[in-house]
Amino acid sequence: RQSAAQQAKVFARHRRRHIVLATNVAETSLTVPGIRYVIDPGTARISRYSARSKVQRLPIEKVSRASADQRKGRCGRVAAGVCIRLYSEEDYLSRPEFTDPEIRRTHLASVILQLESLGLGHIDDFPFIDPPDPRQVSDGYRLLEELGAMDRDRRITDLGRRLAKLPVDPRLARMLLAGAESGCLSEVLVIASALSIQDPRERPLDRTAAADAAHARFADPRSDFLSLLNLWRFYEEQLRHLSRNQMRKLCRTSFLSHNRMREWRDIHAQLRGMLHDMGLATNEEEAGYEPIHRALLSGLVGQIGMLDEQGEYLGPRGMKFRIFPGSTVAAKPPKWIMAAELAETSRLYARMVAAIEPQWVLAAAPAHLLRRQWFDPHWSKRRGRVQACERVSLYGLVLEPRRRVDFAAIDRAETRRIFIEAALVRGELARLPRFLRRNQALIAELQELEHRSRRPDILVDEAALAAFYDERLPPEVHSADSLEKWLKQAGREADRLLLTRDDLLRGEAGVRDRDYPPELQAGALRLPLSYRFAPGEEEDGVSVTVPLAALNQLDPEPLEWLVPGLLEEKVTALIRTLPRPKRAPLAPAPDTAAAFCREAVPGAVALTRTLGDWIARHRGVRIATSDWRADRLPDHLRMNIRVMDDQGRLLAQGRELKALQAKLGERAQASFRHTAAWRLEREGITDWDFGPLPERVTGRSGGAELTGYPALVDEEQSVALRVVDTQAEARHLTHAGVRRLFMLVLAKRFAWLRRNLPGFERLALCYRELGDREELRSEILAAVAERAFMEGFESIRDEAAFRARLEQGRGELVAIANGLCALLLRILEPYRELHGRLNGALPPAWLAAAGDLQEQLWHLVYAGFVSATPPDRLKELPRYLEGMRVRLEKLPRNPARDAARQRELEPHWRRYAERIEALEAQGWLLTDEPELEKYRWMLEEYRVQLFAQELGTKIPVSPKKLEQQWARVTAAA
């Protein structure tokens, strides 16, 4: 590492004692005068090439006896001297007599190439005094094969003869020839010359920082090779302007060895002349990074590395190394590098490195060294051929992990199989030929039979189809292009590729179209049906497609009947869901189902009700609606409802119509109004001036005929005429709208009533726990209008009926208002008292009863109860409230009896509460279920009978009568 001037100090004349530290002074022919003593540690770094790891190693080894004697001989050359050996005599005597000759310690590629080019035969036959290790010989041939200088039979190639003409390492020679081919010989010649000598950059141990700073001007962060090229250009530029002495001084200040720079130039000139003699000219234009390093890579294919997650480089054959710290590339290690040298000292280092791309290695490495693996062969519809993924590696390094290649060149038989299965059987061709379009149409027709009949055994499998095409297509057809070419040449012979029903059917299909119709008639709606045989999937079974606008108009009854082809199976499954006592007389279920289906006519009545009536008539078994467990049926026996928007997009699907209507009901109403474009709609109505109110109107949306129901909508200051999608909603809206219209026509009279309601201040005081006073006023006035005008309001459909009812009721408004206020006072005062007592401090034993009473009170008196409670029931509220007071009075005397009677009431009340909760979740009202409404007021009478019998009941009521009424509730559901 020292400069020549520093080295020369050893030989300078001196008078004082000097100590000389040398590496291998004994192995040189150099004699240093004045040496009297030699201290020999007995070791040396000896260069050895490892054929196993392909690395030039510099291990520290014990020197041989000849080397030890030679070291001893360096002392006392002009006078007596002393040699001090730092090892024992026994150690000395155990060492080999001579150091291994160079031929056994170096890479033999250059020797082999010269022997072959000179016609001296193979190296194995050459009479060496010390024959090299056979492993070294094999490794030399491997490198020459890697460079293309030898073929696989160890014969020299034309390229090898050209390499042998250049007196440099074969790798450097290969770089030079590649540089000439790539148009970058000038740059590669400079770099190859530099790699032939010791690095001219000096780095004295006592001035490392200054040396690094001086060399930094030449550094290239991507490539140490370009750093050498930058140094050469700097030196050549200065050489044109400076004298020899100035150049020496420049080299000294730049920490460059002047002698090595001259040696570099000499080698460069000699190689340039030889290349010129070979007819290779240098380039005039400056070459870029890629061509230079591609040329260098041609000689360094076996010395590449890929950065791993631990920050080390994985090299060929599993070796691991790091970039030498002195490299400019070490600061930011690239993913892939090549190295001019892999040397092992304290660890394995790559010296003189540069960043590369793995694709460059693919181009530079001989094809026979690349290992190719193919996987995932697949049909590419876009390219019209079978492709596979190729993984390319070199010495275990993956250069290309996944590259698409044509699989036909790799495995023609497998390519044809995949082509037939994907392109012909599954029809994955960009342009379908005529025969395939006709075949697919026939297959689709038969597949529809499978889906309808739920029989997967009608159509032959894909293997049979593949065998059909394989038998009729010539062997050369394995891609879209080859198929198209053959079809052009085949003419009418191509008709043999047409399938027939006999080719596709395994047996008789036995499916009738009337059993699996394409459409469903649901009231005025005709809706398309589709069939899918896919157990476990969402669309398994029969699916009906419903436009969003028609969703709320769809009744569940036609859906329950499914289609004729599946009705018998569904009835059989329904019978099997019955409780055992009722199921036993119907056995065997399939026979009962078959008998029912022979007589049944699908209609607007629910399937379960029709089936129950039939069983009662023919089998004598009475079945309640609650006995059927339709939720236990397999999915394919329940209609799948697909709701589509105006753009044909699927919004939702499921087997429960009510759940879909609850989820999409509001959107369906908006879509209904938007798409049907009803012309009779109006706003701002304050009198009946719009003619008769029709019960229904029709329109179209999405190809479906829709039925709309006109309704008068209460908007407080006016009434609007709207068309809604259900008759029940129209009835509710029109009830409130007609009532509001009466109040608007008699606006002055109702304004007077608003100001003069008797006892209103007292009523408002009692009502304040429920709402504010103005809400109460509006409630009372609406209830007055209800009693005066709304009895039998369904008959009010035109102006004449409206005027007649107006004249009939207008004179009764004051009397009705007075009576209603008096009734409300009898309701609200007890309510206030009960509310206060139930929300006060109560003994623990009363808590269960108090909770029941609070729930009862909440269902009787609530915000809006005045207009929501039917008049005939409103007048009974004082008695029900009195019954609650009586219960509270009796509670302290016998809490156990109250609890027992509450347990009698609980099951009846709880099922009602659950039913009401379900109805409210679906947007229904109690008045939509008249049987349920009757049951609700029977429960109030039953409470009076249980807890305040002395008050008397209006109707006879008992647990038995409650059960009978609940049966009517469930039957009507």
Side-chain angles (χ1 to χ4, degrees):
R1 294 186 178 181
Q2 293 182 339
S3 65
Q6 289 174 315
Q7 300 268 7
K9 289 181 180 180
V10 176
F11 306 101
R13 297 178 64 84
H14 56 274
R15 295 182 180 179
R16 293 181 298 168
R17 174 177 292 180
H18 280 201
I19 299 175
V20 177
L21 179 63
T23 52
N24 270 338
V25 68
E27 272 77 7
T28 69
S29 59
L30 184 65
T31 298
V32 180
I35 292 294
R36 294 291 184 270
Y37 301 93
V38 166
I39 300 176
D40 177 17
T43 58
R45 279 200 183 274
I46 299 177
S47 177
R48 288 188 183 275
Y49 179 77
S50 171
R52 183 184 62 81
S53 61
K54 319 301 178 190
V55 170
Q56 193 72 38
R57 303 172 61 246
L58 287 171
I60 298 175
E61 300 180 358
K62 295 179 178 180
V63 299
S64 65
R65 283 180 287 163
S67 292
D69 293 341
Q70 199 174 27
R71 289 181 174 184
K72 182 183 70 171
R74 287 292 173 248
C75 68
R77 300 300 293 269
V78 295
V82 176
C83 177
I84 302 171
R85 289 177 173 153
L86 302 182
Y87 48 96
S88 66
E89 184 176 3
E90 290 78 5
D91 189 0
Y92 168 79
L93 294 174
S94 66
R95 298 185 179 198
E97 187 175 359
F98 299 105
T99 304
D100 287 342
E102 187 76 12
I103 193 71
R104 297 179 62 87
R105 293 187 288 109
T106 189
H107 201 285
L108 300 176
S110 182
V111 176
I112 295 170
L113 185 61
Q114 291 300 324
L115 286 173
E116 294 286 351
S117 65
L118 294 173
L120 299 178
H122 288 289
I123 191 171
D124 297 333
D125 302 327
F126 195 81
F128 288 105
I129 298 174
D130 295 297
D133 191 322
R135 290 175 296 177
Q136 304 283 77
V137 173
S138 297
D139 189 69
Y141 276 110
R142 182 205 57 79
L143 176 59
L144 293 173
E145 185 181 341
E146 181 181 290
L147 298 175
M150 291 280 182
D151 60 19
R152 304 177 84 171
D153 296 326
R154 295 189 173 182
R155 293 191 299 251
I156 190 169
T157 64
D158 292 338
L159 177 60
R161 297 186 190 281
R162 297 176 69 197
L163 296 180
K165 294 179 181 179
L166 296 172
V168 290
D169 187 280
R171 284 175 289 203
L172 301 181
R174 183 68 186 90
M175 295 177 192
L176 292 170
L177 296 184
E181 296 169 359
S182 305
C184 57
L185 181 56
S186 296
E187 290 80 6
V188 175
L189 179 57
V190 171
I191 295 170
S193 303
L195 296 178
S196 301
I197 65 169
Q198 189 174 349
D199 194 330
R201 291 168 291 191
E202 295 181 339
R203 195 169 182 267
L205 291 175
D206 57 343
R207 302 187 64 192
T208 55
D212 291 342
H215 297 156
R217 75 177 93 171
F218 314 124
D220 186 290
R222 294 184 299 167
S223 171
D224 290 334
F225 299 101
L226 292 188
S227 298
L228 291 175
L229 191 58
N230 294 337
L231 172 57
W232 172 270
R233 289 169 177 166
F234 165 79
Y235 184 81
E236 289 294 304
E237 178 65 23
Q238 299 302 318
L239 195 60
R240 292 193 300 170
H241 305 292
L242 301 180
S243 64
R244 179 175 297 180
N245 286 335
Q246 288 174 325
M247 284 301 300
R248 287 181 180 274
K249 184 177 180 181
L250 177 66
C251 288
R252 185 167 59 252
T253 57
S254 300
F255 293 91
L256 301 174
S257 169
H258 182 262
N259 289 337
R260 293 178 200 154
M261 292 300 297
R262 287 183 58 190
E263 182 184 3
W264 186 1
R265 294 192 77 245
D266 291 343
I267 293 176
H268 177 272
Q270 293 169 19
L271 289 175
R272 183 171 184 173
M274 293 178 182
L275 292 168
H276 183 269
D277 293 341
M278 294 171 64
L280 304 176
T282 55
N283 52 293
E284 298 296 333
E285 294 185 4
E286 185 175 329
Y289 186 96
E290 182 174 338
I292 293 173
H293 289 79
R294 277 179 175 268
L296 297 176
L297 184 59
S298 64
L300 301 174
V301 168
Q303 295 179 191
I304 59 174
M306 179 184 70
L307 191 65
D308 64 14
E309 296 177 354
Q310 286 73 39
E312 289 188 317
Y313 281 91
L314 180 63
R317 305 173 190 86
M319 71 170 68
K320 289 192 174 184
F321 58 86
R322 289 183 179 270
I323 299 177
F324 187 69
S327 170
T328 57
V329 185
K332 191 175 181 181
K335 179 66 175 177
W336 285 85
I337 63 168
M338 65 177 174
E341 179 186 11
L342 293 175
E344 183 177 6
T345 52
S346 58
R347 65 182 306 164
L348 187 59
Y349 284 112
R351 298 176 182 269
M352 193 61 59
V353 300
I356 60 170
E357 297 294 333
Q359 292 78 12
W360 302 352
V361 184
L362 283 173
H368 66 276
L369 294 181
L370 297 174
R371 294 291 176 264
R372 301 176 186 273
Q373 295 174 295
W374 298 281
F375 58 96
D376 189 23
H378 61 279
W379 170 253
S380 172
K381 181 178 180 180
R382 185 172 65 87
R383 296 185 178 274
R385 59 184 64 249
V386 177
Q387 293 189 304
C389 296
E390 182 182 59
R391 181 184 293 113
V392 187
S393 59
L394 175 68
Y395 301 137
L397 282 178
V398 178
L399 304 173
E400 182 63 68
R402 192 181 182 91
R403 179 169 64 179
R404 296 187 183 276
V405 295
D406 189 354
F407 196 58
I410 301 165
D411 190 335
R412 180 65 65 90
E414 182 67 7
T415 297
R416 177 179 167 86
R417 184 191 66 79
I418 296 174
F419 162 73
I420 290 175
E421 289 181 358
L424 302 184
V425 175
R426 295 198 294 272
E428 297 176 6
L429 277 172
R431 296 192 305 273
L432 295 180
R434 182 182 64 88
F435 81 88
L436 199 55
R437 290 197 299 272
R438 291 182 56 182
N439 288 351
Q440 286 187 342
L442 182 58
I443 291 171
E445 179 183 335
L446 298 180
Q447 283 177 335
E448 182 67 14
L449 291 180
E450 286 190 332
H451 288 303
R452 292 184 182 187
S453 63
R454 301 188 64 79
R455 283 177 50 191
D457 58 345
I458 294 177
L459 193 66
V460 298
D461 57 18
E462 290 189 352
L465 291 176
F468 173 86
Y469 288 120
D470 187 40
E471 180 183 351
R472 288 162 174 78
L473 281 174
E476 64 270 15
V477 176
H478 57 76
S479 66
D481 292 340
S482 59
L483 174 64
E484 188 175 342
K485 181 179 178 181
W486 179 80
L487 289 174
K488 288 180 180 179
Q489 298 172 351
R492 298 189 62 84
E493 188 183 357
D495 289 346
R496 63 182 183 177
L497 297 177
L498 292 173
L499 289 162
T500 65
R501 292 177 70 92
D502 292 338
D503 295 325
L504 293 172
L505 288 177
R506 288 177 173 170
E508 180 59 38
V511 179
R512 298 178 301 181
D513 290 340
R514 67 174 180 268
D515 291 337
Y516 302 94
E519 291 182 325
L520 172 71
Q521 185 71 44
L525 298 173
R526 293 187 67 85
L527 304 171
L529 295 176
S530 59
Y531 300 84
R532 181 94 184 271
F533 178 45
E537 295 187 12
E538 192 172 14
E539 294 186 0
D540 184 36
V542 189
S543 295
V544 59
T545 300
V546 183
L548 177 62
L551 177 62
N552 289 337
Q553 298 197 317
L554 190 61
D555 293 325
E557 287 79 8
L559 306 183
E560 286 186 24
W561 289 88
L562 216 55
V563 293
L566 294 175
L567 181 60
E568 186 174 326
E569 183 183 354
K570 179 169 184 175
V571 172
T572 302
L574 276 172
I575 293 173
R576 287 171 175 164
T577 68
L578 292 172
R580 181 180 294 275
K582 296 184 178 183
R583 186 174 73 239
L586 306 180
D591 294 347
T592 302
F596 168 78
C597 291
R598 284 194 295 269
E599 299 180 20
V601 178
V605 181
L607 170 62
T608 52
R609 184 178 299 179
T610 304
L611 178 58
D613 293 344
W614 186 91
I615 291 174
R617 291 195 308 270
H618 294 82
R619 298 291 190 271
V621 179
R622 304 200 63 83
I623 298 174
T625 303
S626 58
D627 291 332
W628 302 108
R629 296 300 303 272
D631 56 316
R632 294 182 180 178
L633 294 178
D635 279 349
H636 75 277
L637 295 180
R638 296 190 297 160
M639 184 73 77
N640 181 47
I641 305 159
R642 305 176 75 248
V643 184
M644 314 294 287
D645 66 7
D646 296 338
Q647 307 301 319
R649 294 186 296 260
L650 179 66
L651 297 177
Q653 64 178 327
R655 315 268 171 182
E656 297 292 340
L657 176 61
K658 289 185 177 180
L660 289 172
Q661 289 173 333
K663 178 181 179 181
L664 299 174
E666 293 185 4
R667 292 180 63 181
Q669 290 176 6
S671 176
F672 175 85
R673 294 191 57 204
H674 174 72
T675 58
W678 309 106
R679 295 182 178 179
L680 57 79
E681 291 191 344
R682 281 183 54 190
E683 293 184 352
I685 299 172
T686 57
D687 199 352
W688 197 297
D689 57 0
F690 45 83
L693 183 67
E695 291 192 10
R696 58 176 55 85
V697 292
T698 60
R700 296 194 67 81
S701 172
E705 183 176 289
L706 303 179
T707 300
Y709 301 92
L712 290 175
V713 182
D714 180 7
E715 294 186 343
E716 296 188 2
Q717 303 303 318
S718 64
V719 174
L721 181 56
R722 302 261 190 260
V723 178
V724 297
D725 51 5
T726 65
Q727 191 170 16
E729 184 184 11
R731 183 168 59 83
H732 287 302
L733 291 174
T734 301
H735 185 108
V738 171
R739 186 176 62 199
R740 176 63 65 183
L741 199 57
F742 280 118
M743 296 173 70
L744 290 171
V745 172
L746 300 175
K748 291 183 178 180
R749 186 161 300 189
F750 274 95
W752 184 87
L753 282 176
R754 178 179 287 272
R755 295 191 301 271
N756 296 281
L757 290 173
F760 180 75
E761 294 301 326
R762 190 173 174 185
L763 290 174
L765 181 66
C766 297
Y767 190 80
R768 66 181 182 180
E769 296 293 338
L770 301 173
D772 61 40
R773 55 193 299 117
E774 292 308 315
E775 290 176 355
L776 179 60
R777 283 186 202 272
S778 298
E779 283 286 311
I780 294 174
L781 293 177
V784 169
E786 181 76 25
R787 285 158 174 74
F789 305 115
M790 298 306 294
E791 182 179 355
F793 90 96
E794 290 88 349
S795 62
I796 304 176
R797 307 297 300 182
D798 55 28
E799 185 177 3
F802 178 79
R803 300 294 177 193
R805 185 63 57 85
L806 184 68
E807 292 303 319
Q808 179 183 345
R810 68 193 308 168
E812 303 176 4
L813 292 178
V814 175
I816 292 173
N818 291 338
L820 181 60
C821 288
L823 175 61
L824 291 178
L825 192 61
R826 292 169 51 210
I827 294 171
L828 290 175
E829 283 189 337
Y831 163 77
R832 185 182 181 190
E833 179 188 353
L834 286 169
H835 183 269
R837 293 183 65 182
L838 291 173
N839 285 278
L842 297 173
W846 294 19
L847 293 181
D852 182 54
L853 284 165
Q854 282 180 325
E855 187 174 8
Q856 181 187 6
L857 186 62
W858 183 85
H859 278 82
L860 289 174
V861 183
Y862 48 88
F865 82 97
V866 179
S867 59
T869 307
D872 61 328
R873 290 290 120 193
L874 189 68
K875 66 182 182 181
E876 302 297 335
L877 258 60
R879 184 165 56 89
Y880 297 151
L881 295 172
E882 177 63 16
M884 296 175 66
R885 188 193 64 77
V886 170
R887 180 182 178 185
L888 270 175
E889 295 295 333
K890 292 179 179 180
L891 185 60
R893 296 196 295 271
N894 196 343
R897 183 177 61 182
D898 186 278
R901 292 178 176 177
Q902 183 176 334
R903 285 193 294 273
E904 294 179 31
L905 172 70
E906 179 66 21
H908 304 289
W909 176 257
R910 188 53 48 204
R911 64 188 176 189
Y912 163 74
E914 291 173 355
R915 178 71 173 169
I916 282 293
E917 185 178 355
L919 286 175
E920 290 176 348
Q922 298 174 14
W924 288 38
L925 301 175
L926 179 61
T927 51
D928 292 327
E929 301 271 352
E931 297 295 340
L932 182 64
E933 187 178 15
K934 183 178 179 181
Y935 181 82
R936 184 259 180 283
W937 296 113
M938 286 179 67
L939 285 176
E940 290 300 329
E941 296 294 335
Y942 189 48
R943 284 180 179 274
V944 172
Q945 181 172 309
L946 286 175
F947 300 107
Q949 193 171 11
E950 60 268 28
L951 298 179
T953 60
K954 292 292 183 182
I955 57 174
V957 62
S958 65
K960 182 179 179 180
K961 291 184 179 295
L962 285 172
E963 289 296 337
Q964 291 172 345
Q965 180 60 28
W966 186 255
R968 286 189 282 271
V969 170
T970 55

